[in-house]
Amino acid sequence: MALSLDREAFSRRLRRLYASWQKGEDEFGGVDAIVVAVGVDEEIVYAKSTALQTWLFGYELTDTVMLFCEERALFLASRKKVEFLKQVAQGKGGEGASNGLPAVTLLVREKNESNKANFEKLLEALRGSRGGRRLGVFAKDKFPGEFMKSWNDALSKEGFEKVDVSAAVALAMAAKEEQELALMRKAAAITSELFTKFFKERVMEIVDADEKVRHSKLAEAVEKAIEEKKFLAGADPSAVEMCYPPIIQSGGNYNLKFSVVSDKSHMHFGAITCSMGIRYKSYCSNLVRTLMVDPSQDMQDHYSFLLTLQDVLLRELRHGARLCDVYAAVMDVVKKQRPELLGKITKNLGFAMGIEFREGSLVINSKNQQRLRKGMVFSVNVGLSELPNREAKRPEERSYALFLGDTVMVDEDGPAVVLTSVKKKVKNVGIFLKNEDEDEEEPDKDAAEDLLGRSSRAALLTERTRNELTAEEKRRAHQKELATQLNEDARRRLTEQRGEQQTQKARKSNVSYKSAALLPKEPHVREMKIYIDKKYESVIMPVFGIATPFHIATIKNISMSVEGDYTYLRINFFCPGSALGRNEGNIFPNPEATFVKEITYRASNLKPPGEQTVPASNLQNAFRIIKEVQKRYKTREAEEKEKEGIVKQDSLVINLNRSNPKLKDLYIRPNIAQKRMQGALEAHVNGFRFTSVRGDKVDILYNNIKHAVFQPCDGEMIIVLHFHLKNAIMFGKKRHTDVQFYTEVGEITTDLGKHQHMHDRDDLYAEQMEREMRHKLKTAFKNFIEKVEALTKEELEFEVPFRELGFNGAPYRSTCLLQPTSSALVNCTEWPPFVVTLDEVELIHFERVQFHLKNFDLVIVYKDYARKVTMINAIPVASLDPIKEWLNSCDLKYTEGVQSLNWTKIMKTIVDDPEGFFEQGGWSFLEPEGEGSEAEPGESESELEDETFNPSEEDEEEEEDSDEDYSSEAEESEYSKDSLGSEEESGKDWDELEEEARKADRESQYEEEEERGRGRKRKGPPGRGRPHPPKKKRK
């Protein structure tokens, strides 16, 4: 297949090169021609000559000589390359001068001869360009080979003066076009994926398993990883290569340069620096991170300072700034805040990059006077070396280095844009290990087991059970600590809030007319008929012959009925003591005043002689119009109530840059209109804007987002971005604290009428397409999230739910999968969504936890006791232990019980008398008896429990029994004694028991004799011998 050349890009870039030559200052402007000769050398990876070829043509052309003269460009190459270059030579002869482009001349290189004729043509062109003496060359580029030698000899004989124009040409190529930036973004994305998904995971595995791995071996593994598609962010593997072999350093030996190689030392679990860069379609990227294993506070402080310096550096990298000024600004921060680190910081803070990995003429240091331009891409690297470790125990721990770097793009306004969006906060790069006592004891234990032999299955089971019990005991001990802390914190919090009395809002007093003059002069009013004034939303009724206005807000409801010849209109009013609606306030401005409760009017249905209408028509019209006005008033009130308490948001600052992070074809929930609509979500300076296809706009500001959750499409039919807001926003005439944007990834409905077959080609194709669609969507959403996090400098972080920790439950009417994130418990796929912030939770209580039940309920009590508790019903009992483990790891107190409690009454009791509640033991009343700290508080707690919510004595007894059954071994033994008999019986020997049996026999014998005696008196049978006493059989 013939290689294609982008003629437009070639023309545009060649014109740019000539423009910078003509305007060129210093020596670049003074050269008469530019000579670029490229030979064959496999060892040379980066050279200005090959970079210029790639920039112009998209490919490297070996054994090629390029001359750029004043009015024409000449290329001497092999026949195949000339065929390729004909794509740019076509039509350039005549139009060169007019459009700023030189005419292109192609010369075919001869294989067997010395190319004298071609060289002569080239030299003639050089002599004819401007003065024909000074030649611009790339002084550092020296290629081997016969062809290059013969050309250099021919050039030397002419005695031209050579001037190095490497820096000037580099500057001309430095500002990248959008096409180049897209390639560099892709390269940066692949680098980020490789680091996050391979390197970081591998290091964590090594640390977890305590493996011994050499730096060089790990670097080789990283290089091999780029052969696997899963680490390439969907890129073509043939276009991906490493910029340089990955550099991994640890254990006190650090050299913060990119020219070093990973040594053969074993990785030390301290500060592990890693530098890696991916080159995609000839364009480079770079990433530097330091992973810290169990970092000391001093190390964390140094790293935080390094982050601050990088922020300053990014802020200073803007269009028009000089590189030396950028360096000086960073150094000023070091001098002011940490002057002792001046000698430990890296000598330069980065360099420009593109087709070449490092552009030596555009380095950020104290001497470089070059100015930054929009579109330049830099590798910014800030490092601190030879930092002492005061807590060191071994030689390799005595000093450490921290290194941090990213690929960034210079923007016109604002700070540089980070292209390698790998998280870099301490919590993201720190690997914190749990120091547990049993971990230290394990080696001795293992050695002992080796001596005794491990074949015994029973021994293994015993060991496993002992470990499990230890974990459970640890959990209980931790929960006991949490219980004490919980009661203390809650008591302190409630004491502080005690002074803040909640003021209930009084019912709005609606006045119909401020003065009698405003009363309408309608005939109906004069005729003492019911009249409805729509303007003032009032009903004017005749009361004792006086037209009396009542505002529509005072009317509770109206009813009309026809009985015989009369129509009755009954109007009920709001008044103290009447049953109010759920949303109606029960506080009146003047509760002591006299209130009208109801008024009934009667009118005849018979038409009087001479009248056009029946009298009842007035009541019928009044009934209809009152209903209309009431509906309109209630709608308006509901809208006002929705707006009530809405916090005014800042205005969204629109970023007019086209490269804003954007996701298209998304649906919004809740819907803006009745019908769902697609739209686009775009990230701006201080928030998101969703624009529907109809033009509706919904703005969500970053500072108003409490939780941003990304729910991937793994095991789901939709992929979701969910925003749980701090303050509600209004759209669609309603207030919303949860807004989500989603798109469907598969068929939510299945056509059952369609013939199904597992090997049906169409079905297999559809499945394959769905898999590809899922991958594509996941990648698009992840890229969007990474760009947004980079844009907000990680102030907004998206949380991903931990599916493996998820459990089924019914927070609303239907069962759904509830999944924890790092700071919340969420379900984003069902609507309405469920989001609970863990920081707002006081404690969790499990209800109906009994052996014979398959499900239990979970109650979430909030730190704000005025807030209604949240219930999650029907959780499978198999999820109980995993939920406990998760809650324990989150430092959340949990309790469990066998009954469902009346939480409304419990919370009211606590709020009414918080001091009394905590004096009686606080939340420990939820603990099963026997697990509390002392017996006395337990009694008072059970009394409080009984007073608070027990409906009857029977329930109380049942609860005591059930609690005793499952509380502790002591209680179980008491229970067993009760079931056997009294305490006296349990202490008797066999003789005493036999004596008791004889007594029982005698008693039964006397009873039988009495029965028979009574029988003889009734029947009078003949005399009989005395019966023998029955014999008791004993074993």
Side-chain angles (χ1 to χ4, degrees):
M1 191 179 94
L3 296 173
S4 61
L5 191 151
D6 188 341
R7 287 179 61 188
E8 283 185 19
F10 170 80
S11 304
R12 195 169 55 246
R13 291 169 190 177
L14 189 60
R15 193 180 291 118
R16 197 159 114 193
L17 179 67
Y18 268 77
S20 60
W21 177 21
Q22 284 156 12
K23 290 178 191 170
E25 299 169 2
D26 305 329
E27 294 183 344
F28 187 44
V31 298
D32 299 321
I34 301 165
V35 179
V36 181
V38 179
V40 181
D41 191 348
E42 295 296 327
E43 291 180 10
I44 296 176
V45 180
Y46 302 110
K48 190 70 72 221
S49 309
T50 53
L52 182 62
Q53 285 184 346
T54 307
W55 187 59
L56 289 172
F57 310 121
Y59 300 94
E60 285 183 19
L61 306 176
T62 54
D63 283 341
T64 303
V65 177
M66 303 189 297
L67 301 187
F68 299 101
C69 301
E70 189 177 20
E71 292 181 356
R72 61 185 183 141
L74 293 89
F75 303 136
L76 171 62
S78 65
R79 191 171 298 281
K80 276 189 179 179
K81 294 186 182 83
V82 167
E83 286 296 320
F84 167 72
L85 292 170
K86 276 182 180 175
Q87 297 174 71
V88 295
Q90 287 166 3
K92 290 285 179 294
E95 57 182 279
S98 61
N99 61 5
L101 281 174
V104 177
T105 305
L106 302 177
L107 301 173
V108 180
R109 185 163 61 87
E110 297 161 11
K111 284 186 180 179
N112 301 325
E113 295 178 24
S114 58
N115 286 292
K116 276 187 181 177
N118 287 328
F119 287 167
E120 190 52 47
K121 288 177 184 175
L122 296 176
L123 295 169
E124 191 182 332
L126 288 175
R127 287 191 288 266
S129 176
R130 291 193 179 181
R133 295 302 306 156
R134 290 164 62 87
L135 300 183
V137 295
F138 301 141
K140 287 184 181 178
D141 292 3
K142 290 182 172 63
F143 290 91
E146 284 298 317
F147 177 63
M148 284 293 107
K149 189 176 181 300
S150 56
W151 164 247
N152 288 328
D153 290 345
L155 204 58
S156 302
K157 284 176 187 173
E158 293 295 318
F160 291 113
E161 183 189 341
K162 293 179 181 177
V163 178
D164 187 10
V165 292
S166 301
V169 172
L171 193 63
M173 294 163 61
K176 306 292 182 286
E177 298 173 354
E178 193 53 49
Q179 192 179 351
E180 294 176 282
L181 288 173
L183 295 173
M184 297 196 81
R185 283 193 191 99
K186 188 67 179 175
I190 298 167
T191 308
S192 306
E193 287 277 296
L194 187 64
F195 177 85
T196 310
K197 290 187 177 176
F198 181 79
F199 180 77
K200 190 178 174 185
E201 290 294 320
R202 181 72 187 107
V203 169
M204 289 174 83
E205 283 171 18
I206 292 166
V207 173
D208 281 343
D210 202 12
E211 288 180 51
K212 282 195 171 183
V213 178
R214 296 183 191 277
H215 296 141
S216 53
K217 288 288 180 190
L218 187 54
E220 285 171 22
V222 174
E223 286 197 78
K224 283 181 184 172
I226 63 170
E227 295 168 13
E228 296 183 50
K229 273 193 172 182
K230 62 181 177 181
F231 302 124
L232 300 185
D236 176 14
S238 64
V240 177
E241 59 183 321
M242 299 299 295
C243 293
Y244 56 92
I247 304 164
I248 299 157
Q249 302 175 85
S250 68
N253 296 321
Y254 300 95
N255 187 349
L256 306 186
K257 292 180 179 177
F258 297 103
S259 54
V260 297
V261 292
S262 302
D263 60 24
K264 292 186 179 180
S265 306
H266 287 107
M267 184 189 287
H268 172 254
F269 300 161
I272 305 162
T273 65
C274 170
S275 310
M276 61 172 71
I278 288 289
R279 198 176 190 206
Y280 177 67
K281 292 187 178 176
S282 300
Y283 282 87
C284 299
S285 65
N286 196 27
L287 175 72
V288 183
R289 288 289 182 271
T290 303
L291 297 178
M292 300 176 288
V293 182
D294 268 342
S296 62
Q297 191 55 50
D298 202 33
M299 191 186 284
Q300 290 183 46
D301 294 344
H302 279 131
Y303 186 81
S304 299
F305 181 62
L306 211 57
L307 286 173
T308 307
L309 293 183
Q310 199 195 38
D311 282 346
V312 173
L313 181 55
L314 295 178
R315 216 167 37 243
E316 294 296 324
L317 281 172
R318 57 179 74 235
H319 179 77
R322 288 189 307 173
L323 291 171
C324 56
D325 294 341
V326 173
Y327 181 84
V330 175
M331 288 302 140
D332 285 346
V333 175
V334 180
K335 284 171 190 170
K336 285 177 188 173
Q337 296 184 15
R338 304 290 291 272
E340 72 277 11
L341 297 177
L342 271 171
K344 300 183 186 298
I345 200 159
T346 43
K347 294 286 183 285
N348 63 62
L349 302 178
F351 44 81
M353 65 194 313
I355 297 167
E356 284 188 278
F357 174 70
R358 184 180 188 275
E359 181 43 66
S361 61
L362 291 169
V363 176
I364 305 170
N365 58 25
S366 57
K367 297 174 183 175
N368 202 325
Q369 299 291 322
Q370 292 288 2
R371 291 192 179 273
L372 293 162
R373 294 185 201 164
K374 183 190 172 185
M376 284 184 173
V377 176
F378 277 78
S379 170
V380 292
N381 317 294
V382 192
L384 295 169
S385 55
E386 295 178 11
L387 296 168
N389 184 4
R390 293 168 195 156
E391 299 172 17
K393 293 174 184 174
R394 288 180 289 179
E396 62 265 30
E397 294 175 355
R398 283 176 192 156
S399 72
Y400 64 92
L402 300 172
F403 205 13
L404 181 65
D406 282 292
T407 304
V408 304
M409 181 190 78
V410 178
D411 210 351
E412 193 159 10
D413 302 313
V417 179
V418 179
L419 304 182
T420 42
S421 52
V422 174
K423 293 179 181 178
K424 54 197 169 202
K425 288 185 179 176
V426 174
K427 64 179 180 182
N428 304 123
V429 295
I431 302 169
F432 297 91
L433 304 173
K434 290 183 180 177
N435 295 322
E436 296 179 353
D437 296 339
E438 70 273 8
D439 289 350
E440 293 170 11
E441 292 167 12
E442 269 180 13
D444 303 333
K445 203 188 295 173
D446 291 347
E449 281 175 9
D450 283 334
L451 289 170
L452 295 167
R454 297 191 183 192
S455 58
S456 169
R457 180 178 164 80
L460 281 173
L461 284 172
T462 311
E463 179 68 24
R464 195 178 302 160
T465 312
R466 182 151 53 80
N467 285 344
E468 281 174 11
L469 284 171
T470 309
E472 176 61 29
E473 282 166 10
K474 271 188 195 171
R475 208 158 65 191
R476 282 184 185 171
H478 187 215
Q479 285 295 311
K480 200 172 274 187
E481 288 170 20
L482 289 174
T484 313
Q485 192 181 337
L486 170 74
N487 282 330
E488 287 173 6
D489 292 350
R491 185 193 282 250
R492 188 173 63 252
R493 199 171 59 248
L494 285 174
T495 309
E496 287 169 5
Q497 290 175 355
R498 200 175 171 190
E500 300 170 16
Q501 295 294 326
Q502 286 189 339
T503 53
Q504 282 186 299
K505 199 175 175 186
R507 193 179 170 82
K508 192 165 74 177
S509 178
N510 291 292
V511 179
S512 295
Y513 303 103
K514 289 182 180 176
S515 66
L518 294 171
L519 209 68
K521 308 289 190 287
E522 298 292 326
H524 277 62
V525 179
R526 289 198 299 272
E527 292 166 13
M528 290 297 149
K529 291 181 179 178
I530 296 174
Y531 175 73
I532 294 90
D533 186 351
K534 290 183 181 178
K535 183 183 174 184
Y536 288 95
E537 293 179 328
S538 298
V539 182
I540 299 164
M541 310 177 203
V543 179
F544 301 121
I546 300 166
T548 311
F550 291 86
H551 195 274
I552 200 78
T554 61
I555 297 172
K556 187 178 178 183
N557 54 44
I558 58 171
S559 61
M560 191 173 69
S561 59
V562 179
E563 295 177 16
D565 294 341
Y566 292 97
T567 296
Y568 293 85
L569 179 68
R570 181 177 174 179
I571 302 171
N572 294 317
F573 296 92
F574 286 112
C575 62
S578 64
L580 296 159
R582 180 182 288 178
N583 299 322
E584 299 293 342
N586 58 351
I587 297 167
F588 289 81
N590 302 312
E592 300 299 318
T594 305
F595 285 81
V596 178
K597 191 175 181 183
E598 65 175 78
I599 296 177
T600 307
Y601 290 95
R602 187 185 77 169
S604 173
N605 292 335
L606 303 173
K607 191 162 93 171
E611 292 289 333
Q612 291 182 348
T613 56
V614 295
S617 63
N618 175 242
L619 296 188
Q620 289 162 3
N621 288 337
F623 176 77
R624 180 177 53 79
I625 297 168
I626 288 171
K627 283 279 187 190
E628 282 176 18
V629 174
Q630 206 172 25
K631 186 180 177 183
R632 195 172 65 201
Y633 174 78
K634 281 181 178 175
T635 306
R636 196 179 72 246
E637 283 289 298
E639 284 179 14
E640 283 178 14
K641 197 169 183 182
E642 285 289 324
K643 288 176 187 173
E644 212 172 82
I646 290 285
V647 177
K648 192 175 186 302
Q649 302 291 317
D650 299 332
S651 299
L652 184 73
V653 180
I654 302 293
N655 188 354
L656 300 173
N657 194 344
R658 286 186 180 179
S659 62
N660 284 343
K662 192 172 187 178
L663 278 176
K664 295 180 180 177
D665 302 329
L666 298 180
Y667 294 106
I668 185 172
R669 279 203 295 205
N671 296 333
I672 298 172
Q674 287 188 345
K675 190 180 177 184
R676 70 173 190 168
M677 280 183 292
Q678 281 190 328
L681 181 68
E682 193 168 1
H684 291 282
V685 175
N686 64 335
F688 296 101
R689 168 164 283 181
F690 175 79
T691 312
S692 72
V693 288
R694 199 176 70 175
D696 305 286
K697 289 181 175 65
V698 176
D699 294 345
I700 299 170
L701 300 186
Y702 301 139
N703 60 12
N704 191 32
I705 296 171
K706 189 188 277 187
H707 298 290
V709 181
F710 167 51
Q711 175 70 62
C713 51
D714 303 323
E716 304 287 354
M717 298 307 288
I718 58 174
I719 185 166
V720 180
L721 287 181
H722 184 94
F723 299 110
H724 181 66
L725 308 178
K726 294 173 188 172
N727 302 306
I729 59 170
M730 287 283 293
F731 65 87
K733 294 186 179 178
K734 288 189 179 177
R735 58 194 292 167
H736 305 286
T737 48
D738 285 283
V739 185
Q740 65 176 223
F741 305 95
Y742 71 98
T743 187
E744 292 165 4
V745 293
E747 292 182 13
I748 289 181
T749 56
T750 308
D751 184 4
L752 295 175
K754 185 181 163 188
H755 175 67
Q756 299 287 331
H757 190 272
M758 67 179 288
H759 296 300
D760 188 350
R761 190 173 293 174
D762 290 345
D763 282 0
L764 290 172
Y765 177 70
E767 280 180 24
Q768 178 64 26
M769 288 298 287
E770 187 177 316
R771 271 197 296 273
E772 286 176 11
M773 169 67 85
R774 281 174 182 271
H775 179 72
K776 192 176 173 185
L777 282 171
K778 207 192 293 184
T779 306
F781 272 70
K782 277 186 178 175
N783 288 342
F784 176 79
I785 287 166
E786 286 168 2
K787 286 175 185 174
V788 170
E789 287 179 345
L791 183 70
T792 59
K793 291 184 182 171
E794 294 183 21
E795 284 175 16
L796 176 68
E797 284 193 40
F798 282 83
E799 302 172 57
V800 180
F802 303 113
R803 196 175 181 84
E804 61 276 11
L805 296 177
F807 58 91
N808 288 306
Y812 303 113
R813 291 182 182 178
S814 60
T815 302
C816 58
L817 181 67
L818 299 160
Q819 301 172 73
T821 69
S822 53
S823 64
L825 178 66
V826 301
N827 170 261
C828 302
T829 49
E830 303 287 327
W831 195 263
F834 178 84
V835 181
V836 169
T837 307
L838 298 182
D839 287 345
E840 294 174 1
V841 174
E842 182 84 306
L843 71 98
I844 307 286
H845 182 67
F846 304 116
E847 294 184 339
R848 299 190 308 111
V849 180
Q850 297 185 52
F851 291 123
H852 63 278
L853 295 178
K854 290 181 180 177
N855 298 323
F856 67 93
D857 302 334
L858 185 149
V859 179
I860 299 170
V861 180
Y862 296 98
K863 288 177 181 173
D864 179 5
Y865 289 171
R867 188 173 168 186
K868 192 180 175 185
V869 300
T870 300
M871 288 201 70
I872 303 170
N873 301 315
I875 303 170
V877 80
S879 302
L880 183 60
D881 270 351
I883 292 172
K884 283 182 179 178
E885 193 59 48
W886 163 62
L887 291 173
N888 198 52
S889 68
C890 296
D891 292 338
L892 282 174
K893 171 68 184 157
Y894 63 79
T895 55
E896 62 180 87
V898 293
Q899 279 196 334
S900 295
L901 308 180
N902 187 338
W903 284 99
T904 310
K905 283 187 179 178
I906 292 173
M907 298 314 291
K908 189 176 185 304
T909 306
I910 297 168
V911 171
D912 289 349
D913 184 16
E915 284 185 7
F917 170 70
F918 288 110
E919 278 170 14
Q920 290 179 323
W923 288 107
S924 48
F925 80 89
L926 292 168
E927 299 277 4
E929 284 185 38
E931 283 190 18
S933 53
E934 294 173 8
E936 284 178 11
E939 288 170 20
S940 64
E941 284 149 17
S942 61
E943 282 168 22
L944 172 70
E945 190 179 347
D946 298 341
E947 287 169 14
T948 312
F949 54 79
N950 276 5
S952 67
E953 287 182 12
E954 289 174 11
D955 289 351
E956 183 181 321
E957 287 167 16
E958 283 174 11
E959 188 181 351
E960 282 173 9
D961 292 344
S962 57
D963 278 350
E964 282 171 8
D965 289 349
Y966 309 122
S967 62
S968 67
E969 289 176 14
E971 290 177 355
E972 279 174 21
S973 62
E974 284 171 23
Y975 175 80
S976 61
K977 286 173 190 173
D978 294 343
S979 63
L980 288 168
S982 67
E983 286 181 14
E984 290 175 16
E985 287 174 3
S986 64
K988 291 174 183 177
D989 60 14
W990 281 106
D991 294 335
E992 289 172 324
L993 290 169
E994 282 181 354
E995 186 58 36
E996 281 185 6
R998 285 193 203 99
K999 280 181 185 176
D1001 288 346
R1002 281 199 293 274
E1003 283 170 9
S1004 61
Q1005 176 191 334
Y1006 297 146
E1007 284 171 9
E1008 281 179 26
E1009 282 180 356
E1010 283 174 13
E1011 282 292 321
R1012 287 190 185 114
R1014 280 195 290 273
R1016 275 200 296 274
K1017 285 174 185 174
R1018 285 195 298 273
K1019 294 180 182 178
R1024 235 167 158 191
R1026 186 181 171 187
H1028 293 287
K1031 288 182 181 177
K1032 183 98 172 168
K1033 287 183 182 178
R1034 293 189 189 91
K1035 287 183 181 178

